[in-house]
Amino acid sequence: MIYRKLILTRANCHIIKIEAAVVDTMITQDGERIAYYHLLGRKPCIMFCGGFMSDMTGTRSMALEKFARKRGQAFTRFDYRGHGQSSGLFCEGNISKWKKDAITVLDSLTSGPVVLVGSSMGGWIALLIALARPERIVGIVGVAAAPDFTEDLMWAKFEENIRHTLVTEGVYLENSDSFDEPYIITMDLIEDGRNHLIMREPIQIKAPVRLLHGMRDTSVPYQLSIILADRLESEDVQVHLVKDGGHRLLNDSDLTLLMRATSDLLEV
């Protein structure tokens, strides 16, 4: 694993900010500005939860919006704090804060039944939302869902010198296969993630779940979706593996699979 040390400064924390037009914003109870777009339509609402270092203007999110608009379906996308056009610094974020942002969006912008679509880290966030608001969530689609990734895909796989850097300096940069910029990993992210681990026991989610995963994913092993399917208490869980698919699953056939899985849950 290749890594580089980083001296933590507020200037460095801005490395992953992406410029895009702000559609609308809300202010959280702790004063953060969350950027979002909400499309009115029939229920269930589709709510998209993006991945680590991603924003709400990505290919998958925009394809889902087009899909929802064509159906007349309600749709919501947003940026976590420290991502995209929301306020805050990425390196000051963690799973607790991003989960809180997602639940704030759910509670403030949507009503009635919701189908969550979560990409990578967003799959973990979607599962945490479903555990927190089980009465609202009628379906979950995970695309390369990465529950517990801070512990199992980061800390557990880090070499000892990387762990030492995190413990002593609080942060390091890891090269990414999915982004031009390196991942900013903080010790706070690792420690906070331990408060939200869900893969150690049965996951008390009863809603239908569809898990899509590329078998050539080098960031989140596809076997994780199979294990997740077994952990979920729901009896309506399907895993769709794409043999030649990587982590991002963004070609036309991948997006068609995503829309089919989402449509399936909207009709349940």
Side-chain angles (χ1 to χ4, degrees):
M1 184 174 291
I2 300 171
Y3 76 102
R4 286 181 283 166
K5 293 182 180 179
L6 170 71
I7 303 301
L8 185 60
T9 67
R10 295 184 68 84
N12 284 335
C13 291
H14 284 291
I15 191 170
I16 55 83
K17 298 296 283 186
I18 300 171
E19 294 300 325
V22 173
V23 176
D24 210 341
T25 60
M26 67 171 65
I27 305 299
T28 66
Q29 289 185 343
D30 53 354
E32 294 291 351
R33 187 186 75 253
I34 302 300
Y36 70 88
Y37 174 77
H38 180 64
L39 175 67
L40 296 175
R42 60 190 175 98
K43 300 172 183 177
C45 176
I46 304 166
M47 177 171 156
F48 181 74
C49 300
F52 192 68
M53 288 180 59
S54 298
D55 70 19
M56 65 172 172
T57 65
T59 301
R60 189 177 296 114
S61 178
M62 301 309 292
L64 278 167
E65 180 185 326
K66 181 179 179 180
F67 167 79
R69 191 179 298 277
K70 184 175 180 180
R71 289 176 55 101
Q73 207 84 35
F75 174 76
T76 302
R77 55 185 167 92
F78 70 100
D79 287 330
Y80 311 106
R81 69 186 67 195
H83 289 69
Q85 290 299 295
S86 290
S87 66
L89 300 175
F90 177 82
C91 60
E92 293 180 354
N94 56 35
I95 301 302
S96 290
K97 293 175 181 179
W98 297 329
K99 170 190 170 183
K100 183 177 181 180
D101 293 341
I103 290 177
T104 297
V105 168
L106 178 82
D107 291 346
S108 301
L109 298 179
T110 73
S111 62
V114 172
V115 170
L116 298 171
V117 180
S119 172
S120 195
M121 181 187 79
W124 188 6
I125 298 295
L127 294 166
L128 293 173
I129 295 173
L131 290 169
R133 299 288 188 271
E135 73 285 356
R136 297 287 315 282
I137 307 308
V138 297
I140 302 170
V141 180
V143 183
D148 299 7
F149 78 91
T150 53
E151 191 69 15
D152 297 336
L153 302 181
M154 288 182 173
W155 186 256
K157 296 183 180 299
F158 287 159
E159 298 171 0
E160 187 56 38
N161 55 348
I162 296 175
R163 294 189 184 190
H164 178 75
T165 297
L166 274 167
V167 170
T168 58
E169 299 187 21
V171 64
Y172 87 97
L173 294 180
E174 180 184 13
N175 288 345
S176 166
D177 293 333
S178 301
F179 298 96
D180 293 333
E181 300 290 351
Y183 287 134
I184 300 175
I185 311 298
T186 66
M187 195 61 204
D188 175 65
L189 175 70
I190 300 297
E191 292 176 336
D192 177 78
R194 292 169 180 156
N195 297 322
H196 301 284
L197 301 178
I198 60 175
M199 294 289 284
R200 274 66 181 163
E201 56 188 12
I203 303 171
Q204 298 178 6
I205 291 176
K206 307 294 187 181
V209 179
R210 304 291 180 263
L211 300 172
L212 318 181
H213 217 129
M215 295 181 72
R216 295 180 182 173
D217 189 337
T218 59
S219 298
V220 182
Y222 74 87
Q223 292 87 348
L224 182 57
S225 281
I226 298 173
I227 297 170
L228 173 58
D230 183 58
R231 293 282 192 276
L232 290 162
E233 290 191 353
S234 172
E235 292 298 322
D236 186 359
V237 180
Q238 297 178 15
V239 179
H240 299 265
L241 299 179
V242 181
K243 188 170 183 178
D244 64 347
H247 183 61
R248 305 185 77 174
L249 291 181
L250 292 178
N251 66 35
D252 289 345
S253 61
D254 299 330
L255 294 175
T256 297
L257 178 61
L258 172 60
M259 302 316 155
R260 187 183 306 128
T262 305
S263 179
D264 182 31
L265 296 184
L266 292 171
E267 305 301 332
V268 171

mmCIF file with all atom_site columns, all heavy atoms in Angstrom, residues 245-265:
data_model
loop_
_atom_site.group_PDB
_atom_site.id
_atom_site.type_symbol
_atom_site.label_atom_id
_atom_site.label_alt_id
_atom_site.label_comp_id
_atom_site.label_asym_id
_atom_site.label_entity_id
_atom_site.label_seq_id
_atom_site.pdbx_PDB_ins_code
_atom_site.Cartn_x
_atom_site.Cartn_y
_atom_site.Cartn_z
_atom_site.occupancy
_atom_site.B_iso_or_equiv
_atom_site.pdbx_formal_charge
_atom_site.auth_seq_id
_atom_site.auth_comp_id
_atom_site.auth_asym_id
_atom_site.auth_atom_id
_atom_site.pdbx_PDB_model_num
ATOM 1   N N   . GLY A 1 245 ? -17.038 -5.837 -13.786 1.00 0.00 ? 245 GLY A N   1
ATOM 2   C CA  . GLY A 1 245 ? -17.236 -4.521 -13.185 1.00 0.00 ? 245 GLY A CA  1
ATOM 3   C C   . GLY A 1 245 ? -16.205 -4.187 -12.124 1.00 0.00 ? 245 GLY A C   1
ATOM 4   O O   . GLY A 1 245 ? -15.798 -5.046 -11.339 1.00 0.00 ? 245 GLY A O   1
ATOM 5   N N   . GLY A 1 246 ? -15.782 -2.920 -12.098 1.00 0.00 ? 246 GLY A N   1
ATOM 6   C CA  . GLY A 1 246 ? -14.898 -2.431 -11.055 1.00 0.00 ? 246 GLY A CA  1
ATOM 7   C C   . GLY A 1 246 ? -15.692 -1.789 -9.927  1.00 0.00 ? 246 GLY A C   1
ATOM 8   O O   . GLY A 1 246 ? -16.858 -2.105 -9.712  1.00 0.00 ? 246 GLY A O   1
ATOM 9   N N   . HIS A 1 247 ? -15.065 -0.851 -9.238  1.00 0.00 ? 247 HIS A N   1
ATOM 10  C CA  . HIS A 1 247 ? -15.723 -0.233 -8.079  1.00 0.00 ? 247 HIS A CA  1
ATOM 11  C C   . HIS A 1 247 ? -16.840 0.717  -8.477  1.00 0.00 ? 247 HIS A C   1
ATOM 12  O O   . HIS A 1 247 ? -17.854 0.801  -7.788  1.00 0.00 ? 247 HIS A O   1
ATOM 13  C CB  . HIS A 1 247 ? -14.681 0.523  -7.242  1.00 0.00 ? 247 HIS A CB  1
ATOM 14  C CG  . HIS A 1 247 ? -15.224 1.131  -5.991  1.00 0.00 ? 247 HIS A CG  1
ATOM 15  N ND1 . HIS A 1 247 ? -15.783 0.375  -4.993  1.00 0.00 ? 247 HIS A ND1 1
ATOM 16  C CD2 . HIS A 1 247 ? -15.314 2.430  -5.577  1.00 0.00 ? 247 HIS A CD2 1
ATOM 17  C CE1 . HIS A 1 247 ? -16.195 1.167  -4.016  1.00 0.00 ? 247 HIS A CE1 1
ATOM 18  N NE2 . HIS A 1 247 ? -15.923 2.423  -4.343  1.00 0.00 ? 247 HIS A NE2 1
ATOM 19  N N   . ARG A 1 248 ? -16.687 1.395  -9.596  1.00 0.00 ? 248 ARG A N   1
ATOM 20  C CA  . ARG A 1 248 ? -17.587 2.508  -9.881  1.00 0.00 ? 248 ARG A CA  1
ATOM 21  C C   . ARG A 1 248 ? -18.873 2.099  -10.604 1.00 0.00 ? 248 ARG A C   1
ATOM 22  O O   . ARG A 1 248 ? -19.899 2.743  -10.436 1.00 0.00 ? 248 ARG A O   1
ATOM 23  C CB  . ARG A 1 248 ? -16.835 3.584  -10.666 1.00 0.00 ? 248 ARG A CB  1
ATOM 24  C CG  . ARG A 1 248 ? -15.570 4.032  -9.943  1.00 0.00 ? 248 ARG A CG  1
ATOM 25  C CD  . ARG A 1 248 ? -14.874 5.168  -10.622 1.00 0.00 ? 248 ARG A CD  1
ATOM 26  N NE  . ARG A 1 248 ? -15.536 6.433  -10.366 1.00 0.00 ? 248 ARG A NE  1
ATOM 27  C CZ  . ARG A 1 248 ? -15.064 7.609  -10.741 1.00 0.00 ? 248 ARG A CZ  1
ATOM 28  N NH1 . ARG A 1 248 ? -13.934 7.671  -11.427 1.00 0.00 ? 248 ARG A NH1 1
ATOM 29  N NH2 . ARG A 1 248 ? -15.701 8.711  -10.473 1.00 0.00 ? 248 ARG A NH2 1
ATOM 30  N N   . LEU A 1 249 ? -18.856 1.072  -11.409 1.00 0.00 ? 249 LEU A N   1
ATOM 31  C CA  . LEU A 1 249 ? -20.061 0.576  -12.099 1.00 0.00 ? 249 LEU A CA  1
ATOM 32  C C   . LEU A 1 249 ? -20.830 1.718  -12.769 1.00 0.00 ? 249 LEU A C   1
ATOM 33  O O   . LEU A 1 249 ? -21.979 1.998  -12.427 1.00 0.00 ? 249 LEU A O   1
ATOM 34  C CB  . LEU A 1 249 ? -20.969 -0.175 -11.119 1.00 0.00 ? 249 LEU A CB  1
ATOM 35  C CG  . LEU A 1 249 ? -20.466 -1.518 -10.595 1.00 0.00 ? 249 LEU A CG  1
ATOM 36  C CD1 . LEU A 1 249 ? -21.488 -2.143 -9.657  1.00 0.00 ? 249 LEU A CD1 1
ATOM 37  C CD2 . LEU A 1 249 ? -20.137 -2.470 -11.727 1.00 0.00 ? 249 LEU A CD2 1
ATOM 38  N N   . LEU A 1 250 ? -20.199 2.342  -13.748 1.00 0.00 ? 250 LEU A N   1
ATOM 39  C CA  . LEU A 1 250 ? -20.794 3.530  -14.369 1.00 0.00 ? 250 LEU A CA  1
ATOM 40  C C   . LEU A 1 250 ? -21.065 3.384  -15.863 1.00 0.00 ? 250 LEU A C   1
ATOM 41  O O   . LEU A 1 250 ? -21.499 4.351  -16.491 1.00 0.00 ? 250 LEU A O   1
ATOM 42  C CB  . LEU A 1 250 ? -19.886 4.751  -14.141 1.00 0.00 ? 250 LEU A CB  1
ATOM 43  C CG  . LEU A 1 250 ? -19.775 5.248  -12.701 1.00 0.00 ? 250 LEU A CG  1
ATOM 44  C CD1 . LEU A 1 250 ? -18.814 6.426  -12.630 1.00 0.00 ? 250 LEU A CD1 1
ATOM 45  C CD2 . LEU A 1 250 ? -21.140 5.644  -12.148 1.00 0.00 ? 250 LEU A CD2 1
ATOM 46  N N   . ASN A 1 251 ? -20.821 2.201  -16.451 1.00 0.00 ? 251 ASN A N   1
ATOM 47  C CA  . ASN A 1 251 ? -21.141 2.113  -17.867 1.00 0.00 ? 251 ASN A CA  1
ATOM 48  C C   . ASN A 1 251 ? -22.650 1.910  -18.053 1.00 0.00 ? 251 ASN A C   1
ATOM 49  O O   . ASN A 1 251 ? -23.400 1.746  -17.087 1.00 0.00 ? 251 ASN A O   1
ATOM 50  C CB  . ASN A 1 251 ? -20.304 1.028  -18.568 1.00 0.00 ? 251 ASN A CB  1
ATOM 51  C CG  . ASN A 1 251 ? -20.633 -0.374 -18.073 1.00 0.00 ? 251 ASN A CG  1
ATOM 52  O OD1 . ASN A 1 251 ? -21.768 -0.682 -17.748 1.00 0.00 ? 251 ASN A OD1 1
ATOM 53  N ND2 . ASN A 1 251 ? -19.618 -1.224 -18.031 1.00 0.00 ? 251 ASN A ND2 1
ATOM 54  N N   . ASP A 1 252 ? -23.102 1.920  -19.294 1.00 0.00 ? 252 ASP A N   1
ATOM 55  C CA  . ASP A 1 252 ? -24.541 1.910  -19.563 1.00 0.00 ? 252 ASP A CA  1
ATOM 56  C C   . ASP A 1 252 ? -25.242 0.689  -18.975 1.00 0.00 ? 252 ASP A C   1
ATOM 57  O O   . ASP A 1 252 ? -26.334 0.801  -18.404 1.00 0.00 ? 252 ASP A O   1
ATOM 58  C CB  . ASP A 1 252 ? -24.795 1.979  -21.069 1.00 0.00 ? 252 ASP A CB  1
ATOM 59  C CG  . ASP A 1 252 ? -24.455 3.337  -21.661 1.00 0.00 ? 252 ASP A CG  1
ATOM 60  O OD1 . ASP A 1 252 ? -24.306 4.295  -20.867 1.00 0.00 ? 252 ASP A OD1 1
ATOM 61  O OD2 . ASP A 1 252 ? -24.336 3.446  -22.892 1.00 0.00 ? 252 ASP A OD2 1
ATOM 62  N N   . SER A 1 253 ? -24.633 -0.471 -19.107 1.00 0.00 ? 253 SER A N   1
ATOM 63  C CA  . SER A 1 253 ? -25.269 -1.675 -18.581 1.00 0.00 ? 253 SER A CA  1
ATOM 64  C C   . SER A 1 253 ? -25.333 -1.659 -17.058 1.00 0.00 ? 253 SER A C   1
ATOM 65  O O   . SER A 1 253 ? -26.298 -2.150 -16.456 1.00 0.00 ? 253 SER A O   1
ATOM 66  C CB  . SER A 1 253 ? -24.529 -2.923 -19.072 1.00 0.00 ? 253 SER A CB  1
ATOM 67  O OG  . SER A 1 253 ? -23.188 -2.922 -18.639 1.00 0.00 ? 253 SER A OG  1
ATOM 68  N N   . ASP A 1 254 ? -24.302 -1.072 -16.419 1.00 0.00 ? 254 ASP A N   1
ATOM 69  C CA  . ASP A 1 254 ? -24.308 -0.956 -14.958 1.00 0.00 ? 254 ASP A CA  1
ATOM 70  C C   . ASP A 1 254 ? -25.437 -0.044 -14.493 1.00 0.00 ? 254 ASP A C   1
ATOM 71  O O   . ASP A 1 254 ? -26.153 -0.340 -13.527 1.00 0.00 ? 254 ASP A O   1
ATOM 72  C CB  . ASP A 1 254 ? -22.974 -0.402 -14.462 1.00 0.00 ? 254 ASP A CB  1
ATOM 73  C CG  . ASP A 1 254 ? -21.798 -1.281 -14.804 1.00 0.00 ? 254 ASP A CG  1
ATOM 74  O OD1 . ASP A 1 254 ? -21.980 -2.513 -14.890 1.00 0.00 ? 254 ASP A OD1 1
ATOM 75  O OD2 . ASP A 1 254 ? -20.689 -0.738 -14.989 1.00 0.00 ? 254 ASP A OD2 1
ATOM 76  N N   . LEU A 1 255 ? -25.595 1.089  -15.178 1.00 0.00 ? 255 LEU A N   1
ATOM 77  C CA  . LEU A 1 255 ? -26.648 2.035  -14.806 1.00 0.00 ? 255 LEU A CA  1
ATOM 78  C C   . LEU A 1 255 ? -28.029 1.438  -15.063 1.00 0.00 ? 255 LEU A C   1
ATOM 79  O O   . LEU A 1 255 ? -28.964 1.664  -14.293 1.00 0.00 ? 255 LEU A O   1
ATOM 80  C CB  . LEU A 1 255 ? -26.472 3.348  -15.568 1.00 0.00 ? 255 LEU A CB  1
ATOM 81  C CG  . LEU A 1 255 ? -25.209 4.143  -15.217 1.00 0.00 ? 255 LEU A CG  1
ATOM 82  C CD1 . LEU A 1 255 ? -25.083 5.370  -16.117 1.00 0.00 ? 255 LEU A CD1 1
ATOM 83  C CD2 . LEU A 1 255 ? -25.208 4.560  -13.750 1.00 0.00 ? 255 LEU A CD2 1
ATOM 84  N N   . THR A 1 256 ? -28.146 0.651  -16.121 1.00 0.00 ? 256 THR A N   1
ATOM 85  C CA  . THR A 1 256 ? -29.416 -0.031 -16.385 1.00 0.00 ? 256 THR A CA  1
ATOM 86  C C   . THR A 1 256 ? -29.745 -0.993 -15.251 1.00 0.00 ? 256 THR A C   1
ATOM 87  O O   . THR A 1 256 ? -30.898 -1.078 -14.794 1.00 0.00 ? 256 THR A O   1
ATOM 88  C CB  . THR A 1 256 ? -29.346 -0.792 -17.715 1.00 0.00 ? 256 THR A CB  1
ATOM 89  O OG1 . THR A 1 256 ? -29.156 0.138  -18.782 1.00 0.00 ? 256 THR A OG1 1
ATOM 90  C CG2 . THR A 1 256 ? -30.626 -1.584 -17.964 1.00 0.00 ? 256 THR A CG2 1
ATOM 91  N N   . LEU A 1 257 ? -28.740 -1.714 -14.767 1.00 0.00 ? 257 LEU A N   1
ATOM 92  C CA  . LEU A 1 257 ? -28.931 -2.615 -13.636 1.00 0.00 ? 257 LEU A CA  1
ATOM 93  C C   . LEU A 1 257 ? -29.366 -1.854 -12.395 1.00 0.00 ? 257 LEU A C   1
ATOM 94  O O   . LEU A 1 257 ? -30.262 -2.287 -11.655 1.00 0.00 ? 257 LEU A O   1
ATOM 95  C CB  . LEU A 1 257 ? -27.632 -3.380 -13.364 1.00 0.00 ? 257 LEU A CB  1
ATOM 96  C CG  . LEU A 1 257 ? -27.626 -4.338 -12.170 1.00 0.00 ? 257 LEU A CG  1
ATOM 97  C CD1 . LEU A 1 257 ? -28.670 -5.431 -12.347 1.00 0.00 ? 257 LEU A CD1 1
ATOM 98  C CD2 . LEU A 1 257 ? -26.233 -4.946 -11.994 1.00 0.00 ? 257 LEU A CD2 1
ATOM 99  N N   . LEU A 1 258 ? -28.753 -0.686 -12.165 1.00 0.00 ? 258 LEU A N   1
ATOM 100 C CA  . LEU A 1 258 ? -29.115 0.140  -11.014 1.00 0.00 ? 258 LEU A CA  1
ATOM 101 C C   . LEU A 1 258 ? -30.563 0.599  -11.100 1.00 0.00 ? 258 LEU A C   1
ATOM 102 O O   . LEU A 1 258 ? -31.311 0.534  -10.108 1.00 0.00 ? 258 LEU A O   1
ATOM 103 C CB  . LEU A 1 258 ? -28.191 1.351  -10.934 1.00 0.00 ? 258 LEU A CB  1
ATOM 104 C CG  . LEU A 1 258 ? -28.544 2.419  -9.898  1.00 0.00 ? 258 LEU A CG  1
ATOM 105 C CD1 . LEU A 1 258 ? -28.555 1.831  -8.493  1.00 0.00 ? 258 LEU A CD1 1
ATOM 106 C CD2 . LEU A 1 258 ? -27.577 3.592  -9.985  1.00 0.00 ? 258 LEU A CD2 1
ATOM 107 N N   . MET A 1 259 ? -30.981 1.067  -12.271 1.00 0.00 ? 259 MET A N   1
ATOM 108 C CA  . MET A 1 259 ? -32.360 1.540  -12.423 1.00 0.00 ? 259 MET A CA  1
ATOM 109 C C   . MET A 1 259 ? -33.353 0.383  -12.259 1.00 0.00 ? 259 MET A C   1
ATOM 110 O O   . MET A 1 259 ? -34.424 0.560  -11.677 1.00 0.00 ? 259 MET A O   1
ATOM 111 C CB  . MET A 1 259 ? -32.553 2.204  -13.783 1.00 0.00 ? 259 MET A CB  1
ATOM 112 C CG  . MET A 1 259 ? -31.617 3.373  -14.043 1.00 0.00 ? 259 MET A CG  1
ATOM 113 S SD  . MET A 1 259 ? -31.435 4.523  -12.648 1.00 0.00 ? 259 MET A SD  1
ATOM 114 C CE  . MET A 1 259 ? -29.827 5.211  -13.009 1.00 0.00 ? 259 MET A CE  1
ATOM 115 N N   . ARG A 1 260 ? -32.981 -0.796 -12.751 1.00 0.00 ? 260 ARG A N   1
ATOM 116 C CA  . ARG A 1 260 ? -33.860 -1.949 -12.612 1.00 0.00 ? 260 ARG A CA  1
ATOM 117 C C   . ARG A 1 260 ? -34.025 -2.338 -11.143 1.00 0.00 ? 260 ARG A C   1
ATOM 118 O O   . ARG A 1 260 ? -35.140 -2.621 -10.674 1.00 0.00 ? 260 ARG A O   1
ATOM 119 C CB  . ARG A 1 260 ? -33.296 -3.125 -13.409 1.00 0.00 ? 260 ARG A CB  1
ATOM 120 C CG  . ARG A 1 260 ? -34.226 -4.333 -13.469 1.00 0.00 ? 260 ARG A CG  1
ATOM 121 C CD  . ARG A 1 260 ? -33.574 -5.499 -14.207 1.00 0.00 ? 260 ARG A CD  1
ATOM 122 N NE  . ARG A 1 260 ? -33.123 -5.089 -15.522 1.00 0.00 ? 260 ARG A NE  1
ATOM 123 C CZ  . ARG A 1 260 ? -31.895 -5.284 -15.973 1.00 0.00 ? 260 ARG A CZ  1
ATOM 124 N NH1 . ARG A 1 260 ? -30.973 -5.862 -15.193 1.00 0.00 ? 260 ARG A NH1 1
ATOM 125 N NH2 . ARG A 1 260 ? -31.558 -4.914 -17.188 1.00 0.00 ? 260 ARG A NH2 1
ATOM 126 N N   . ALA A 1 261 ? -32.924 -2.320 -10.399 1.00 0.00 ? 261 ALA A N   1
ATOM 127 C CA  . ALA A 1 261 ? -32.987 -2.662 -8.967  1.00 0.00 ? 261 ALA A CA  1
ATOM 128 C C   . ALA A 1 261 ? -33.796 -1.635 -8.193  1.00 0.00 ? 261 ALA A C   1
ATOM 129 O O   . ALA A 1 261 ? -34.595 -1.971 -7.317  1.00 0.00 ? 261 ALA A O   1
ATOM 130 C CB  . ALA A 1 261 ? -31.572 -2.763 -8.400  1.00 0.00 ? 261 ALA A CB  1
ATOM 131 N N   . THR A 1 262 ? -33.601 -0.349 -8.522  1.00 0.00 ? 262 THR A N   1
ATOM 132 C CA  . THR A 1 262 ? -34.355 0.717  -7.850  1.00 0.00 ? 262 THR A CA  1
ATOM 133 C C   . THR A 1 262 ? -35.824 0.631  -8.175  1.00 0.00 ? 262 THR A C   1
ATOM 134 O O   . THR A 1 262 ? -36.685 0.726  -7.281  1.00 0.00 ? 262 THR A O   1
ATOM 135 C CB  . THR A 1 262 ? -33.800 2.094  -8.268  1.00 0.00 ? 262 THR A CB  1
ATOM 136 O OG1 . THR A 1 262 ? -32.389 2.147  -7.999  1.00 0.00 ? 262 THR A OG1 1
ATOM 137 C CG2 . THR A 1 262 ? -34.500 3.209  -7.504  1.00 0.00 ? 262 THR A CG2 1
ATOM 138 N N   . SER A 1 263 ? -36.143 0.421  -9.441  1.00 0.00 ? 263 SER A N   1
ATOM 139 C CA  . SER A 1 263 ? -37.536 0.280  -9.867  1.00 0.00 ? 263 SER A CA  1
ATOM 140 C C   . SER A 1 263 ? -38.213 -0.876 -9.149  1.00 0.00 ? 263 SER A C   1
ATOM 141 O O   . SER A 1 263 ? -39.370 -0.772 -8.726  1.00 0.00 ? 263 SER A O   1
ATOM 142 C CB  . SER A 1 263 ? -37.602 0.088  -11.382 1.00 0.00 ? 263 SER A CB  1
ATOM 143 O OG  . SER A 1 263 ? -38.929 -0.077 -11.817 1.00 0.00 ? 263 SER A OG  1
ATOM 144 N N   . ASP A 1 264 ? -37.486 -1.972 -8.987  1.00 0.00 ? 264 ASP A N   1
ATOM 145 C CA  . ASP A 1 264 ? -38.015 -3.147 -8.306  1.00 0.00 ? 264 ASP A CA  1
ATOM 146 C C   . ASP A 1 264 ? -38.474 -2.801 -6.896  1.00 0.00 ? 264 ASP A C   1
ATOM 147 O O   . ASP A 1 264 ? -39.552 -3.211 -6.440  1.00 0.00 ? 264 ASP A O   1
ATOM 148 C CB  . ASP A 1 264 ? -36.927 -4.216 -8.275  1.00 0.00 ? 264 ASP A CB  1
ATOM 149 C CG  . ASP A 1 264 ? -37.376 -5.512 -7.617  1.00 0.00 ? 264 ASP A CG  1
ATOM 150 O OD1 . ASP A 1 264 ? -38.578 -5.840 -7.705  1.00 0.00 ? 264 ASP A OD1 1
ATOM 151 O OD2 . ASP A 1 264 ? -36.532 -6.209 -7.027  1.00 0.00 ? 264 ASP A OD2 1
ATOM 152 N N   . LEU A 1 265 ? -37.678 -1.988 -6.195  1.00 0.00 ? 265 LEU A N   1
ATOM 153 C CA  . LEU A 1 265 ? -38.020 -1.638 -4.809  1.00 0.00 ? 265 LEU A CA  1
ATOM 154 C C   . LEU A 1 265 ? -39.122 -0.581 -4.744  1.00 0.00 ? 265 LEU A C   1
ATOM 155 O O   . LEU A 1 265 ? -39.860 -0.527 -3.753  1.00 0.00 ? 265 LEU A O   1
ATOM 156 C CB  . LEU A 1 265 ? -36.774 -1.163 -4.078  1.00 0.00 ? 265 LEU A CB  1
ATOM 157 C CG  . LEU A 1 265 ? -35.676 -2.211 -3.916  1.00 0.00 ? 265 LEU A CG  1
ATOM 158 C CD1 . LEU A 1 265 ? -34.523 -1.675 -3.084  1.00 0.00 ? 265 LEU A CD1 1
ATOM 159 C CD2 . LEU A 1 265 ? -36.219 -3.482 -3.279  1.00 0.00 ? 265 LEU A CD2 1
#
